[in-house]
């Protein structure tokens, strides 16, 4: 099954790249940002979906750091990618701030847009992803204490912003958006997934909290965020699946967003198993049975949700191939290929570790190869489009 999924995905990216190459002739100018009539326009349309590039890059590093395979040079590669994601997070956060200060009208229009507002879930997930990388990879550069402190700050900021997004975006959808024309889109999951990312990355912070009520409260809070995200996420995925079956893909260019559904699946498997593994840190002695139950829950949940994940992975691959044949061209939505696949890697890694299953570990490694192919393709096109300036224009 992994071979089939990997083969289909490779075909998808080959088809997409061919489609892009045939649809756009390369520019012959060497001037930086030739698509912009003035440099100041660089900040005019820095939309929140730009932060998906940080998420997609950061998950490449995090997945490599936890991968159940000893590959020479992998740790160095992961560290370099994490540094790239960190630099990108700082640069994008600065640019996003300038965008809101200098182009407030455009910023408000983007925030009021029924689709673009969904991507306000990306900034908190970018913070959480880079923060987790700091914990996993930053110790050699920053030292253990500094790495833990930075992670705690980024985790707290990402969690607070993610919880606000998970409430405010649905509130706007209920009270301010046009309900007559609204259709369920995969992007609807973007403001819902951040609490799940907080739950999975919070497991990394748990051992650094003093034993006692503080550690128990942290574990309970992570499970609460797991439940918040999972329940509303599955309700939303039901709407999305029904919309796809009855109405088809809204547009060819929106096809990559179907992969966002895998973000919820992979991240929930990651959270359930990492939290289950850490449960003995909070439950011991007379309450040790609770820790055992949570560990078993993680395994059962992972196996069950993993079956659903295989279905959605195969369906998303097939829809991507279909869209490529219909003329899909590059846009920032292509970053939807990366983070969701990365969560499937971390989910398979966590499940394989909990089960002690070599076949599941092999699946994790195979998915990581697919992730690298997706990330390399999307990052290359993003770098080229950024140099030319096309990506900084309004969609």
């Amino acid at each position: 099954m992994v071979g089939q999924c990997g083969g289909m995905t490779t075909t998808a990216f080959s088809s997409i790249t061919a489609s892009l190459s045939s649809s756009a002739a390369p520019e012959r100018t060497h001037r930086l940002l030739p698509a912009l009539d003035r440099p100041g326009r660089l900040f005019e349309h820095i939309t929140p979906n730009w932060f998906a590039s940080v998420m997609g890059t950061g998950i490449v590093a995090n997945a490599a750091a936890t991968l159940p395979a000893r590959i020479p040079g992998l740790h160095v590669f992961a560290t370099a990618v994490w540094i790239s994601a960190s630099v990108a997070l700082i640069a994008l956060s600065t640019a996003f701030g300038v965008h809101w200060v200098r182009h407030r009208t455009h910023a408000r229009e983007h925030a009021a847009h029924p689709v673009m507002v969904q991507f306000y879930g990306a900034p908190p997930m970018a913070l959480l992803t880079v923060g987790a990388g700091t914990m996993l990879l930053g110790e050699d550069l920053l030292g253990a204490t500094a790495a833990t402190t930075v992670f705690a700050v980024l985790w707290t900021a990402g969690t607070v912003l993610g919880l606000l997004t998970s409430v405010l975006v649905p509130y706007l959808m209920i009270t301010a958006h046009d309900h007559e024309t609204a259709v369920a889109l995969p992007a609807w999951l973007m403001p819902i997934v951040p609490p799940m990312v907080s739950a999975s990355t919070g497991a990394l912070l748990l051992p650094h909290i003093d034993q006692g009520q503080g550690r128990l409260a942290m574990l309970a809070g992570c499970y609460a965020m797991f439940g918040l995200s999972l329940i509303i996420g599955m309700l939303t995925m039901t709407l999305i699946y029904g919309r796809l079956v009855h109405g088809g893909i809204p547009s060819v260019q929106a096809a990559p967003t179907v992969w966002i559904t895998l973000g919820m699946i992979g991240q929930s498997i990651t959270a359930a198993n990492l939290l289950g593994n850490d449960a003995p840190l909070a439950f011991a002695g007379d309450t040790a049975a609770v820790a055992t139950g949570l560990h078993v829950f993680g395994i059962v949940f992972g196996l069950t949700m993993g079956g659903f994940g295989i279905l959605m992975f195969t369906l998303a691959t097939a829809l991507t191939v279909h869209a490529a044949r219909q003329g899909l061209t590059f846009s920032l939505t292509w970053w939807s290929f990366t983070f969701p696949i990365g969560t499937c890697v971390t989910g398979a890694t966590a499940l394989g570790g909990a089960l002690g299953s070599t076949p599941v570990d092999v699946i994790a490694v195979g998915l990581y190869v697919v992730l690298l192919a997706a990330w390399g393709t999307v990052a290359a096109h993003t770098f080229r489009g950024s140099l030319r300036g096309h990506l900084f224009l309004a969609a």
Side-chain angles (χ1 to χ4, degrees), residues 33 36 39-51 53-54 86-104 106-107 110 120 123 386 391-392:
L33 303 174
L36 305 181
R41 295 198 65 190
L42 177 70
F43 303 102
E44 192 171 339
H45 297 287
I46 300 294
T47 48
N49 58 336
W50 270 97
F51 286 89
S53 63
V54 179
S86 301
V87 172
L89 175 62
I90 294 171
L92 276 176
S93 298
T94 302
F96 197 56
V98 172
H99 168 69
W100 266 96
V101 171
R102 295 180 57 183
H103 304 283
R104 190 175 298 272
H106 289 309
H110 297 150
Y120 269 88
S386 297
L391 296 182
F392 299 111

Side-chain angles (χ1 to χ4, degrees), residues 27 39 42 115 128 138 186 204 230 235 251 287 314 338:
E27 295 185 12
L42 177 70
V115 176
L128 293 165
L204 299 175
L230 179 66
L235 290 173
S251 69
T287 59
T314 306
T338 56

